[in-house]
Amino acid sequence: MIVIMKPNADECQIQHVIDLVREYGLKEHIIVGTDRTVIACIGDKRIVDKGAIENAPNVERIVPILAPYKIASREVKTERTTIKVGCEGFELGGNKIGIIAGPCAVEGYEPLMKTAIVAAEVGCIGIRAGAFKPRTSPYSFQGMGLEGLKILAQAREQTSLAVITEVVAVEQIDTVAEYADVLQVGARNMQHYPLLEALGRVDKPVLLKRGMSAHLDEFLLAAEYIIDAGNDKVILCERGIRTFENYVRNTLPLAAVAELKDKTHLPIVVDPSHGTGHAHLVPAMCRAAVAAGADGLLIECHHDPEHAASDGAQSITHETLSQLMPQLKAIARAIGRDV
Ligand code: PEP
Ligand code: MN
């Protein structure tokens, strides 16, 4: 349930409600809006004397949260969450759409820098690349590990782009967090609950990818794990789902963007690279994702896709990225946003 305070409720009155909520064994999550404070109460509400809370000074009303996820729900917070990404003051989830581009994996200093320089020049806000790669086959390139993270940090130093990179296991979190600006949770790990809980204790944004067979409710419940553990800087990423269709690697359900915008206040990013698996489909899906309301894009882009260590087939070239950016800007402006 949520306790909605009146706009003039003061700190003491809010604290009084928090104390009551705790007395009933519930956990509170406070959302300070521009207009009023809302207290989401998580736990078994059957034992709660709602009347006692409702009669507390300056409580406006109590409403149940119907969605299975609670704090991620728009029932609890109607204002959109914006998350600072990188050091340039960019806020994902705000009016400006954030484009993040880069190779699937860090392959070395020179290649990463080539893409980072182009990404920065064309107006991207971040560079993506995996240092720890969750590969389907144990025999595929597994990433450069710590060395890859160091290269990413050098790319940030030289371009000011934010670094988005994947964390595959709980024991890697501290190391990855030392170098990255945004910690990515891959599709294969969306329901790795100990990892999600551990990321809830980190003070860095988390980009959570949708599991390839996850329903939207399961996706949002995975986000809820991170928020419930203490980190509300969660960015959702639609990266396509498994269907019977086989002309693509995954099917990219862009209606999910509109649906998620309705269900949650969290920013939503689209990954059209894993979402299609084919570079020639990526520009169209980027344009469509922006039109559908995505707050950002996560695009695989490589200086020489044919020779990429991983996911070359779905990586666009530098040239394609450069041509795409003004198109995305035009589409964003047509819907009252910007890139
Ligand atoms: C990636 O971003 O390179 C990646 C492995 O993505 P996903 O987890 O969506 O498959
Ligand atoms: Mn990839």
Side-chain angles (χ1 to χ4, degrees):
M1 64 184 196
I2 28 183
V3 182
I4 302 171
M5 302 301 294
K6 289 185 180 159
N8 57 334
D10 64 26
E11 258 178 50
C12 258
Q13 292 161 335
I14 293 168
Q15 189 55 51
H16 178 61
V17 172
I18 294 171
D19 292 342
L20 281 174
V21 164
R22 286 184 184 165
E23 271 172 37
Y24 288 116
L26 301 182
K27 188 170 148 190
E28 80 285 354
H29 184 86
I30 322 289
I31 296 121
V32 184
T34 44
D35 180 34
R36 64 184 75 223
T37 295
V38 159
I39 303 158
C41 311
I42 314 296
D44 185 357
K45 55 190 185 308
R46 284 171 304 184
I47 41 153
V48 176
D49 177 359
K50 287 198 190 112
I53 299 177
E54 214 150 26
N55 288 329
N58 268 338
V59 168
E60 188 172 286
R61 63 186 196 282
I62 295 181
V63 285
I65 311 171
L66 300 177
Y69 40 90
K70 306 294 173 193
I71 322 164
S73 158
R74 283 198 82 205
E75 293 171 59
V76 165
K77 183 170 176 247
T78 47
E79 284 163 41
R80 303 224 66 88
T81 291
T82 59
I83 299 174
K84 280 200 179 67
V85 173
C87 43
E88 296 288 287
F90 180 84
E91 300 218 356
L92 201 70
N95 195 52
K96 250 186 150 178
I97 297 162
I99 313 297
I100 299 156
C104 178
V106 185
E107 297 172 11
Y109 175 79
E110 295 290 336
L112 190 79
M113 279 314 299
K114 278 187 190 161
T115 303
I117 288 167
V118 173
E121 264 172 17
V122 301
C124 291
I125 60 137
I127 175 98
R128 62 136 295 147
F132 294 99
K133 295 301 300 175
R135 302 308 302 280
T136 303
S137 162
Y139 309 120
S140 303
F141 173 56
Q142 301 288 315
M144 292 182 72
L146 180 60
E147 206 188 328
L149 293 177
K150 290 183 179 168
I151 293 172
L152 280 163
Q154 283 175 291
R156 173 183 46 226
E157 232 168 77
Q158 297 191 30
T159 61
S160 300
L161 291 171
V163 165
I164 293 89
T165 194
E166 182 161 354
V167 54
V168 178
V170 175
E171 57 274 18
Q172 287 168 0
I173 293 178
D174 290 345
T175 312
V176 177
E178 203 182 313
Y179 296 94
D181 297 297
V182 178
L183 305 176
Q184 177 176 323
V185 176
R188 292 158 187 80
N189 268 330
M190 189 207 82
Q191 286 177 312
H192 181 165
Y193 299 118
L195 180 65
L196 303 181
E197 282 170 342
L199 287 166
R201 297 186 286 273
V202 173
D203 188 24
K204 289 252 164 121
V206 174
L207 183 136
L208 177 67
K209 288 195 146 193
R210 179 182 183 177
M212 52 192 94
S213 63
H215 289 156
L216 289 190
D217 278 4
E218 292 165 331
F219 188 18
L220 289 167
L221 281 166
E224 187 91 3
Y225 262 92
I226 304 170
I227 306 172
D228 183 55
N231 183 357
D232 56 9
K233 296 191 277 290
V234 179
I235 301 158
L236 301 170
C237 178
E238 172 57 72
R239 49 76 75 203
I241 49 171
R242 278 263 163 98
T243 69
F244 58 85
E245 189 55 83
N246 62 4
Y247 77 99
V248 278
R249 179 179 179 186
N250 292 291
T251 296
L252 186 63
L254 287 178
V257 175
E259 183 68 5
L260 285 168
K261 287 232 138 175
D262 218 39
K263 290 187 156 176
T264 180
H265 48 85
L266 299 171
I268 297 137
V269 160
V270 170
D271 171 352
S273 309
H274 295 84
T276 60
H278 301 293
H280 73 278
L281 298 175
V282 169
M285 290 302 96
C286 288
R287 293 189 291 264
V290 168
D295 298 303
L297 298 175
L298 187 75
I299 310 170
E300 285 188 339
C301 175
H302 196 280
H303 71 284
D304 180 10
E306 266 186 32
H307 297 101
S310 61
D311 285 349
Q314 64 190 35
S315 299
I316 60 170
T317 60
H318 290 175
E319 197 188 354
T320 303
L321 180 68
S322 310
Q323 287 163 357
L324 186 59
M325 289 301 278
Q327 297 173 2
L328 300 179
K329 211 174 186 50
I331 295 166
R333 289 193 173 158
I335 54 168
R337 300 184 76 176
D338 203 353
V339 169

